Amino acid sequence: MADEDVRQSLLSSTNDSLNLNETKAIQRRKSHHRSKGPSEKESQEQEKVLQPLINVEPTFVGLEFRIKYVLLLLALYLGIGTIWFFLIKNQIYGKKTNGVIDAIYFCVVTMTSVGYGDLVPHSTLAKILSCIYAFTGVSLVGLILSNAADYIAEKQGILLVKAMLKNEKFNTAEVLMDVETNRDKYKFLMTSLLLVVLIISGISFLILVEGMEFIDAFYCVCSTMTTLGYGDKSFSTQEGRIFAILWILSSTICLGQFFLYLAALYTERRQKSLVKWILNRKLTPSDLEAADMDHDEVVSAAEFILYKLKEMGKVCQDDILLLMERFKALDVDHSGTLTTDDLILS
């Protein structure tokens, strides 16, 4: 019974707060309506339009800081591996070009699990180091390079927004809202475009530099990007391995992110369809009974919102109970409301 009283008080206070806030907002608009000049109105409109951009910038700064950390970690990891395998280069068999380039190339092929087989460890020490580097590389490459892929997708999305804002045919606020709500969609599109560029550049390089036929070049690109690495076709020249160091890192992670964003986009569309169905379906008496938290045979706005959020899967009953327990712990005087005194006493 006490829980129901607290819940009813919480819902009542929520509704009162919403009504009070709406009343104050209307009063403020009425009191300032006549005093505002045309320039002030334009200034406020611009502020409303630019507010989403202000919210985007901190996210971009955070991503920029993260990409610097990622690149530093990647350089450190490749540097350690390069030193390892350069010192034991005589214990690695295969077609070689340049000691340092081959060492970096071997690191990249190992950490991305491509494993062409054109360079293979031969001694016991080389095999042990390769195993250590392979295990740590496979576990770290996703963590390290996925952040880089996110950064690229986010940056391109922001540039896309800024480019669209230059066109007066678009409503700024609507464009920004669309980008924000369809983030996975734009990430998927940017990753798809980057994937196409990587495939074309890889095929072109293998044809022009490595001297492969188109089918062999396409076959090599596919086996590399999917980390199959059959080994019958690979980068064998010094120039080819310099290109492969960056291309293999970019292409393998880009393909992984492509499927990740594809799955996220599919899940997002299913979730939107579910939400649309939930919002449009007709309520039944059983729905009203389930939404009536305080059992007063009347469903308030707060009760309706909580019920629909639970139905959409946004929150669950356990989440609500935890919040209610937290509220009761803060409500020291058991008044059903929170005050400054409650916060001090708690």
Side-chain angles (χ1 to χ4, degrees):
M1 189 65 182
D3 291 347
E4 292 179 1
D5 293 338
V6 172
R7 188 179 292 109
Q8 185 174 6
S9 300
L10 176 60
L11 293 174
S12 299
S13 61
T14 301
N15 291 330
D16 294 340
S17 299
L18 289 173
N19 294 332
L20 182 60
N21 291 335
E22 290 177 0
T23 303
K24 289 181 177 180
I26 293 172
Q27 291 175 350
R28 284 196 300 268
R29 287 195 294 268
K30 288 182 178 179
S31 62
H32 292 285
H33 177 71
R34 295 182 179 179
S35 61
K36 291 177 181 176
S39 59
E40 187 177 355
K41 289 182 179 180
E42 292 177 1
S43 176
Q44 289 189 352
E45 289 297 326
Q46 291 177 358
E47 184 178 352
K48 289 180 181 179
V49 169
L50 293 176
Q51 186 61 37
L53 275 178
I54 296 173
N55 295 332
V56 168
E57 290 301 325
T59 302
F60 180 72
V61 172
L63 289 170
E64 189 173 4
F65 172 78
R66 190 169 61 184
I67 193 64
K68 291 179 180 179
Y69 172 77
V70 165
L71 292 177
L72 179 61
L73 185 59
L74 178 62
L76 179 63
Y77 183 71
L78 284 175
I80 294 174
T82 301
I83 294 173
W84 276 4
F85 297 116
F86 178 77
L87 294 176
I88 60 170
K89 60 183 178 180
N90 295 328
Q91 302 176 36
I92 297 177
Y93 287 3
K95 186 174 182 180
K96 300 180 180 180
T97 58
N98 176 276
V100 177
I101 294 174
D102 289 342
I104 301 175
Y105 171 77
F106 183 78
C107 290
V108 172
V109 170
T110 302
M111 71 183 293
T112 56
S113 71
V114 172
Y116 286 126
D118 50 355
L119 292 175
V120 294
H122 185 69
S123 66
T124 302
L125 177 61
K127 291 178 181 179
I128 292 175
L129 291 178
S130 298
C131 290
I132 295 173
Y133 201 80
F135 274 111
T136 55
V138 171
S139 60
L140 288 177
V141 69
L143 176 64
I144 295 174
L145 297 181
S146 62
N147 284 286
D150 279 337
Y151 170 79
I152 294 172
E154 291 283 354
K155 183 176 180 180
Q156 295 301 319
I158 294 171
L159 293 177
L160 176 63
V161 172
K162 291 182 178 179
M164 293 176 70
L165 292 180
K166 295 179 181 179
N167 193 333
E168 296 180 356
K169 294 181 180 179
F170 291 96
N171 181 280
T172 305
E174 291 180 356
V175 171
L176 291 173
M177 181 61 69
D178 179 67
V179 172
E180 182 65 25
T181 55
N182 297 283
R183 186 178 296 271
D184 290 333
K185 173 184 175 181
Y186 288 106
K187 283 186 176 182
F188 173 75
L189 292 176
M190 295 309 303
T191 305
S192 301
L193 179 61
L194 181 59
L195 187 63
V196 171
V197 172
L198 287 170
I199 291 174
I200 294 175
S201 62
I203 293 175
S204 301
F205 188 89
L206 288 171
I207 292 175
L208 298 175
V209 179
E210 296 290 335
M212 295 185 185
E213 298 292 333
F214 174 79
I215 295 298
D216 291 336
F218 180 73
Y219 164 77
C220 181
V221 165
C222 292
S223 63
T224 301
M225 298 182 75
T226 55
T227 69
L228 289 173
Y230 290 120
D232 52 341
K233 299 293 181 182
S234 62
F235 297 87
S236 57
T237 65
Q238 180 174 325
E239 295 78 8
R241 290 183 176 177
I242 293 174
F243 172 80
I245 290 170
L246 296 176
W247 184 83
I248 292 175
L249 284 173
S250 303
S251 59
T252 52
I253 195 61
C254 184
L255 183 64
Q257 293 297 109
F258 171 81
F259 288 115
L260 176 64
Y261 294 144
L262 179 62
L265 185 61
Y266 173 74
T267 304
E268 181 185 358
R269 288 188 175 181
R270 288 195 60 184
Q271 181 67 22
K272 286 182 178 180
S273 298
L274 175 62
V275 170
K276 183 177 180 180
W277 176 79
I278 290 173
L279 292 177
N280 293 331
R281 78 178 183 86
K282 293 183 178 180
L283 290 177
T284 63
S286 60
D287 291 323
L288 294 179
E289 183 179 355
D292 186 14
M293 296 178 60
D294 52 8
H295 306 291
D296 61 352
E297 298 183 355
V298 175
V299 177
S300 64
E303 288 175 323
F304 176 78
I305 292 171
L306 285 175
Y307 177 70
K308 285 298 182 180
L309 287 175
K310 288 196 296 182
E311 196 174 15
M312 293 175 189
K314 303 292 185 180
V315 296
C316 64
Q317 187 66 26
D318 292 337
D319 296 330
I320 297 174
L321 292 176
L322 286 174
L323 292 173
M324 289 298 300
E325 290 295 329
R326 179 59 179 163
F327 178 84
K328 288 190 293 182
L330 293 173
D331 185 18
V332 179
D333 58 2
H334 305 290
S335 63
T337 58
L338 292 180
T339 62
T340 307
D341 294 336
D342 290 326
L343 298 180
I344 295 174
L345 294 174
S346 62

